[in-house]
Amino acid sequence: MPLILIRYAKFGTLQYCVVRPVIAVAIFLLALTGHYDDTSLSPTGLYFWFMLAINVSVAYALGALISFYYAFKVPLAPVDPLPKFLCVKSVVFFAF
């Protein structure tokens, strides 16, 4: 069970590390060509879908980190994982 949880946490955090830069590059390229409008919140626009994808990615990454923390809180108690967890969580949150 712990190996599955570790893989889930690893995938959850790494998917954010892929999704965010890919969307950023797509936004940059679309803005250069004039096909990106970040002033409209309409579901027909790309801004809505890009922000939805980023929000889902962040929520999934934070959910994976929280489940990892609660699963390994007791075994990792000697190294005090809470400050490290909060540091990683804050990087994901403030990058968003």
Side-chain angles (χ1 to χ4, degrees):
M1 180 66 171
L3 186 59
I4 293 169
L5 186 61
I6 291 172
R7 285 184 183 158
Y8 168 71
K10 182 179 174 182
F11 177 76
T13 53
L14 290 179
Q15 61 81 27
Y16 175 76
C17 295
V18 172
V19 169
R20 181 67 181 189
V22 167
I23 290 178
V25 168
I27 288 172
F28 178 72
L29 293 175
L30 288 168
L32 282 178
T33 61
H35 292 94
Y36 184 72
D37 179 24
D38 61 352
T39 60
S40 172
L41 294 176
S42 170
T44 59
L46 290 174
Y47 178 77
F48 175 81
W49 294 107
F50 283 154
M51 291 304 112
L52 181 67
I54 289 172
N55 283 328
V56 168
S57 178
V58 166
Y60 186 69
L62 289 178
L65 288 174
I66 289 169
S67 66
F68 179 82
Y69 171 72
Y70 279 113
F72 292 100
K73 185 166 93 172
V74 174
L76 294 176
V79 293
D80 193 22
L82 184 61
K84 295 156 191 71
F85 170 74
L86 292 176
C87 181
V88 171
K89 189 173 176 181
S90 66
V91 167
V92 171
F93 178 74
F94 288 121
F96 173 68

